[in-house]
Amino acid sequence: MDSGRTGHVVVCGVDGAALRTVEQLLAAGADVVVVDPSGGADVVADRLLTQWKVRRIEGRMREALIDARLDTAAAVVVLLSDDLRSMETALLVRRLRSDVRVVVRMGNGSVSRALAEVTGEGSVLDVAALAAPSVVEACLGRRTHTIELAGRTFLVAEMVAASNATLRELYGELAPLAVARAAHPEPVVCPGRDHAVRVGDRVTAFGTPEQFRALGSPEVVELLRPQAPAPAQQASGARGAGAARAVERAEEGGRAGPWALIRSLVAETDRPLRVTLAVLLVVVVVSVAVLRVGYVKDTGAHMSLVDALYFTVETIATVGYGDFSFALQPSWLRIYAIGLMGGGVVITAVLFALLTQLLVSARLEQSFGRRRVGSMRGHVIVVGLGSVALEVVEGLVAAGRRVVVVDREEDGRHHGRARTLHVPVVVGDATDAAVLASANIEEATAVAVLTSDDLVNVETGLVVRDQLGERWEKVPVVLRVFDRELASSIEEGFDFRHVRSTAALAAPWFVGAALGLDVLGTFYVDTAPFLVGRLSVASGGGLEGLAMGELSERTRVVAIHRAGEGERVLEHPPRRGTRFGAGDVAYLVGPYEELMAVLRRDVAQLPDSGVEMP
């Protein structure tokens, strides 16, 4: 036991998210101890923890926590892969020490809400829920992000410079967060308002909706326009119309009656069945006309239309009842009857075979009362249906987009939820081009590859790239990987533009919660992740009395909630000469590492900060 260790952070778990959190805690200057109750031999974890000089304690959780000096720790971050073990550990930590800060990863919503009542508000986080918004935004191609600060609505929006000028001349009081140029791989982070931009530069800025509207440019007006849910886009023709009506009935909550079944059958019919039905209809029409004109009854009268139709059906079905006969008819009509009976038998057999195939097809179950995958256009394909993918599907559906899921599992855990959302699931291996074709990738507007296997995701992404062909540059393809360095390598090596590391997206939330920085949101500028954080200025800390302009140039203080005797006032935008005061709440935007540096600066000068900083 290290009896001298105090003010450290205990991290429970050694999976990808846990290791990423340890790495970021170390980067923020915190002293870290890792508790691994599994005791499993993880070569990668051993190597990294040894390289980082982080102590790893194995064994039963209670004894391991005591050995990790829980009594003097500043925070405990529970990142176990099992929700039950995470809940058990969090409750144990709270029972052993009631005043320590606890942050828990939990995927079960009901348990999360109950556990938060014990561990504190904002202490229970879901990796899937944290990572999904970034994937949804990439799929939708959104250029605006809404952020709530102290009850006020702010926007982060990307705009394209229309002329050569300074940021102040183009965007006034909007706070510039980044400027990206096609010729430069890295964006300029948090430039000053006097920074010069050129036509075509992409500028990401922060401000209120009123400040954006004051610019009055058509581009900004379009960015602020509310996005209506995308209507269903179906293929043209009777097949598409039938599918659309079936979808409409299902989405209106109507009960699945006979007409809904018929509409689903029509929507599900393939070309061979439609051709067979068309041939049969032509044969019936021709035969009715021939019999109406050429058939002569014993009375010398010609057949009526009803008689001709009746005799045609009798002949095709080969179920004559003796009421009509070709025996006394002219030779040409008897020859015609031979062809009608033979052809009718063939057509009827083919028709029955195709109908049988349709009725027993698993695709009918997938499309009955819902949309027909093959007729969808403008949809988003989501590969995989784990916890992250389900969050993404729900986000896309909430945004009004049509979604098709491709999953290897025939009856996965979340398939029932997908059916509730009226999202069809194509069962198959997405690395197979035929499976992607069955999801109608040719008409998809975005693809999100979100399985839990990095290699499968990369392989699927490459197959998607091949299938998109010339559309590759226009269709967003989002790849999920666990490691941030791997994400950067894939982006550079394979020309993917939207590679998201779930560990990198979630780690800032856990680190911030452990060290006292409330992370309010994340967004991307090109491939660079940005954070929006809230920081309470500590009395006697390194930020007290510091002017805004003395902070890192790559960090932007977008608003500050001043502490005062009466009601606190939100100051936006704060001036560079404004100084921090004890108790002020500052809202910051910037790259994660920069925000951690600000937090480190605030606590570094405290006599008893609770977190050791080098």
Side-chain angles (χ1 to χ4, degrees):
M1 178 184 298
D2 187 357
S3 59
R5 171 166 276 144
T6 61
H8 55 288
V9 178
V10 178
V11 176
C12 301
V14 291
D15 65 1
L19 291 175
R20 182 63 180 170
T21 300
V22 170
E23 181 183 19
Q24 294 302 318
L25 283 168
L26 295 173
D31 185 16
V32 182
V33 177
V34 171
V35 171
D36 179 15
S38 65
D42 190 324
V43 177
V44 176
D46 283 336
R47 179 175 58 81
L48 289 176
L49 294 177
T50 301
Q51 177 182 340
W52 296 335
K53 299 180 180 179
V54 173
R55 185 184 177 202
R56 176 179 180 177
I57 302 174
E58 299 178 356
R60 293 180 56 188
M61 184 58 72
R62 184 184 184 90
E63 288 73 16
L65 288 172
I66 294 174
D67 194 15
R69 292 305 307 271
L70 173 64
D71 58 327
T72 59
V76 178
V77 183
V78 182
L79 290 167
L80 302 175
S81 57
D82 181 78
D83 281 355
L84 180 60
R85 295 295 303 277
S86 295
M87 179 190 67
E88 180 184 7
T89 301
L91 294 175
L92 175 62
V93 169
R94 183 56 74 221
R95 187 166 65 251
L96 294 176
R97 186 176 167 197
S98 60
D99 62 333
V100 71
R101 185 182 295 122
V102 182
V103 187
V104 189
R105 176 175 67 184
M106 181 66 59
N108 187 293
S110 300
V111 176
S112 296
R113 290 186 291 271
L115 188 59
E117 296 177 1
V118 178
T119 58
E121 182 181 359
S123 62
V124 184
L125 304 174
D126 181 5
V127 171
L130 298 177
S134 175
V135 178
V136 173
E137 289 180 352
C139 290
L140 299 179
R142 283 181 176 169
R143 299 165 56 195
T144 59
H145 317 275
T146 303
I147 299 173
E148 296 289 334
L149 303 182
R152 291 184 58 183
T153 300
F154 293 85
L155 295 177
V156 175
E158 181 187 280
M159 299 166 289
V160 180
S163 60
N164 297 334
T166 65
L167 293 172
R168 188 188 307 274
E169 293 170 340
L170 290 175
Y171 305 114
E173 290 297 318
L174 291 177
L177 301 180
V179 175
R181 290 177 177 172
H184 298 275
E186 295 293 333
V188 179
V189 177
C190 296
R193 287 188 173 87
D194 294 323
H195 180 83
V197 295
R198 295 180 296 192
V199 175
D201 288 354
R202 290 176 289 113
V203 179
T204 302
F206 177 95
T208 63
E210 293 74 20
Q211 289 176 322
F212 278 98
R213 290 192 183 96
L215 298 178
S217 69
E219 179 192 21
V220 173
V221 172
E222 183 64 27
L223 287 175
L224 297 177
R225 189 187 307 277
Q227 296 183 352
Q233 299 185 46
Q234 305 288 347
S236 60
R239 181 184 182 189
R245 286 193 295 271
V247 172
E248 181 181 0
R249 178 64 176 266
E251 293 182 346
E252 288 174 354
R255 302 181 67 179
W259 287 111
L261 175 60
I262 293 173
R263 285 193 294 268
S264 292
L265 287 172
V266 172
E268 194 67 18
T269 56
D270 291 324
R271 188 171 183 273
L273 181 55
R274 297 198 306 274
V275 170
T276 303
L277 288 171
V279 171
L280 180 60
L281 179 61
V282 170
V283 170
V284 170
V285 171
V286 171
S287 181
V288 168
V290 170
L291 293 177
R292 177 76 173 83
V293 174
Y295 193 95
V296 180
K297 298 181 180 180
D298 295 340
T299 60
H302 289 281
M303 277 187 167
S304 65
L305 288 176
V306 175
D307 288 340
L309 178 59
Y310 173 75
F311 194 26
T312 297
V313 174
E314 269 190 332
T315 305
I316 291 176
T318 65
V319 290
Y321 297 103
D323 40 9
F324 294 105
S325 172
F326 286 100
L328 302 177
Q329 299 301 313
S331 298
W332 69 268
L333 192 54
R334 291 200 301 270
I335 295 173
Y336 169 78
I338 294 172
L340 180 62
M341 287 185 285
V345 169
V346 173
I347 295 174
T348 303
V350 172
L351 178 62
F352 285 161
L354 292 174
L355 284 174
T356 301
Q357 179 186 9
L358 175 62
L359 289 172
V360 302
S361 173
R363 294 180 302 160
L364 179 60
E365 190 277 332
Q366 294 176 0
S367 68
F368 177 57
R370 296 190 291 269
R371 61 184 58 82
R372 171 73 164 91
V373 175
S375 64
M376 291 179 65
R377 296 181 179 178
H379 57 291
V380 179
I381 297 176
V382 176
V383 179
L385 197 57
S387 56
V388 174
L390 181 62
E391 290 281 348
V392 171
V393 169
E394 291 179 339
L396 291 170
V397 171
R401 298 305 297 271
R402 308 297 176 186
V403 183
V404 174
V405 171
V406 178
D407 191 30
R408 289 185 175 185
E409 300 293 332
E410 291 188 4
D411 190 18
R413 173 186 176 187
H414 300 302
H415 284 202
R417 177 57 180 161
R419 287 192 291 268
T420 302
L421 295 171
H422 306 303
V423 173
V425 178
V426 176
V427 177
D429 186 350
T431 60
D432 185 350
V435 174
L436 291 175
S438 67
N440 205 10
I441 191 173
E442 294 182 356
E443 301 293 344
T445 58
V447 181
V449 186
L450 305 173
T451 76
S452 58
D453 189 313
D454 283 356
L455 182 59
V456 171
N457 290 342
V458 173
E459 182 182 2
T460 303
L462 294 174
V463 175
V464 169
R465 185 179 66 177
D466 294 339
Q467 292 300 303
L468 290 175
E470 296 180 354
R471 300 176 63 227
W472 168 250
E473 296 294 334
K474 300 178 181 179
V475 177
V477 177
V478 186
L479 256 63
R480 170 194 179 186
V481 297
F482 287 89
D483 184 75
R484 184 176 177 180
E485 283 70 25
L486 176 60
S488 300
S489 300
I490 293 173
E491 286 176 338
E492 182 178 353
F494 296 139
D495 192 30
F496 283 93
R497 302 182 301 278
H498 306 286
V499 182
R500 299 291 185 258
S501 166
T502 51
L505 288 168
W509 297 78
F510 289 98
V511 174
L515 299 184
L517 175 69
D518 295 329
V519 179
L520 304 178
T522 59
F523 60 92
Y524 270 75
V525 176
D526 284 350
T527 59
F530 276 60
L531 264 65
V532 182
R534 177 176 58 201
L535 174 65
S536 296
V537 179
S539 177
L543 293 183
E544 186 179 8
L546 191 72
M548 305 286 177
E550 297 174 6
L551 284 178
S552 167
E553 294 182 354
R554 291 168 58 87
T555 301
R556 181 78 65 195
V557 181
V558 294
I560 186 169
H561 222 169
R562 309 293 298 189
E565 296 180 357
E567 184 180 357
R568 289 148 62 103
V569 177
L570 184 68
E571 181 181 337
H572 166 77
R575 302 301 175 184
R576 289 178 60 85
T578 301
R579 295 186 179 274
F580 292 107
D584 289 350
V585 177
Y587 296 91
L588 305 95
V589 180
Y592 167 73
E593 292 79 4
E594 303 297 330
L595 265 63
M596 288 296 103
V598 173
L599 176 63
R600 178 179 176 180
R601 183 170 185 173
D602 188 40
V603 302
Q605 297 182 17
L606 293 176
D608 295 306
S609 63
V611 178
E612 289 187 350
M613 298 290 177

